[in-house]
Each structure stands twice: as C-alpha cells, then as structure tokens.
Amino acid sequence: MTEKNHDFLRLACRCGQVQGRIAASQSGQARRALQTHLVCYCGDCQTFAGWLGASGHALDRNAGTDLVQMTPDRLSFDQGVEQLACLQLRPKGLLRWYARCCRTPLCNTMARPFTSFVGVLTTNVQGMDAQEAFGPVQARAFTDSAHGPNSPKRNSGLPRVMFNVLRMILGSRLNGRYRITPFFSPDGAPVAKPHLLTPQALLSAREKAGIA
C-alpha cells in the first residue's frame, strides 16, 4: 500500500530499490509558491530517457518530461542511495540522476551544489498524479522539439521558470540551505561520479532517441 502523509510525498524508482521523499510545506498554496511545475520537451531530456531505455516511463505522448523544480533540501532518500548514478551529456552540462538498479531517470541538478535547484521527474511520485501533487503545469519549454498528436507549438511560462529558479538559488545561498542536498558531499563533489558521454556516444544516443 502506498504511504500517504501530509508532510511529504513518496517517490521511488521502477524496481523500488531507491525510495525517497519530498518534503511539503504547511499548505499546498505555500508549497507551490516554492516550486515550478513544468513540462520540458528538449532534446537532451529525450536523449536521457532514451539512453536509459526509459522513454515510455519518463516521456509523455509529445516527448515531454513532466518536472517539478524545487530546492534540493526538500528531497531526501530513505534507501538505495548506493544506487544513485548520474550522466552528463556534455562537459559542464546538467547532472542527470538515475537509479542504476533499473535505469529509472530521477532528476536533474546543476554540476555544483551552489546552484541550488533540482528538477524532479513527477512520474516517480507515488500515490497521486502530478497535478494533484504539484498543481497545474505552469510552463512548457523547448516546444520546438515536441512531437506527436496535438503537440504544443509555443513555449509558455518561461519568465516564471527563470524567476523561481533565481529566487531558489539566491534564497538557498543566503540562508545556507544549499548545503543540504542528497546529491553532493560536504566538499561539493557529486555523491556519484558523473558519466560523461563522448561526442560519438552522445550522437549515437540522440539518434536512438530520434533526435536529429
């Protein structure tokens, strides 16, 4: 039975070895003010899902990834931390975290903890759908890479995304909470060594994902 609690949301990888939780604030309205619920259609998100063999799990019918952006201090893992792995598609790119055990994509972070935000795939949240958990989608990004029936034609809500990301980063730096993260050790190193794709491997991954 899925555990439900007003103080947190549960999340898990597909095989269940990685288990975690997202801390909620005192009210749904307050919680949503500290995050952005968006769908990203970029080629890199599609490539990541395809490289893992998880396109059916991670992408919607228009090749979008449903994400909630928040500060990393709200996310913790109860078990399976040793299964965390991360991929970089290119040098200095995002760290794309996944569960090694079943190759489930989990979330994206910047390469350094000082830039304190994380984009969590909502498909791993247990017991409720993304809109129930995080409210309506507030933004759609990189829609030029969307495809499929009735795909979105225009980006929307991007100023909101940028404003919220900057607010999260600056706020975390000022209050010191950027140090509270499951993805980086106290010395600032990722808890798992990033696997950087070679240019040839990236090209191959993009081709397999159907990205031109």
Side-chain angles (χ1 to χ4, degrees), residues 24-156:
S25 54
Q26 293 181 349
S27 72
Q29 184 176 3
R31 181 172 68 245
R32 291 167 191 170
L34 300 174
Q35 65 195 19
T36 305
H37 183 194
L38 73 153
V39 182
C40 180
Y41 302 89
C42 77
D44 283 357
C45 283
Q46 295 179 44
T47 299
F48 178 47
W51 183 82
L52 291 171
S55 296
H57 173 76
L59 304 180
D60 65 21
R61 64 177 183 170
N62 298 128
T65 301
D66 197 286
L67 299 162
V68 58
Q69 292 180 336
M70 63 181 67
T71 52
D73 61 291
R74 286 181 55 196
L75 179 61
S76 60
F77 292 99
D78 304 316
Q79 67 178 55
V81 175
E82 72 281 358
Q83 296 293 343
L84 289 179
C86 65
L87 175 75
Q88 276 187 306
L89 298 181
R90 54 185 62 84
K92 300 183 180 180
L94 293 177
L95 300 185
R96 297 177 178 273
W97 296 86
Y98 64 97
R100 183 185 293 108
C101 45
C102 55
R103 296 178 70 82
T104 298
L106 299 172
C107 49
N108 307 320
T109 69
M110 300 298 286
R112 296 288 182 270
F114 314 108
T115 311
S116 183
F117 82 98
V118 57
V120 181
L121 276 75
T122 66
T123 48
N124 299 315
V125 173
Q126 306 292 291
M128 62 180 68
D129 64 26
Q131 184 159 322
E132 182 184 3
F134 304 111
V137 171
Q138 299 165 296
R140 297 182 185 275
F142 302 102
T143 55
D144 55 340
S145 295
H147 53 80
N150 302 313
S151 61
K153 306 302 181 186
R154 293 183 179 180
N155 293 333
S156 61

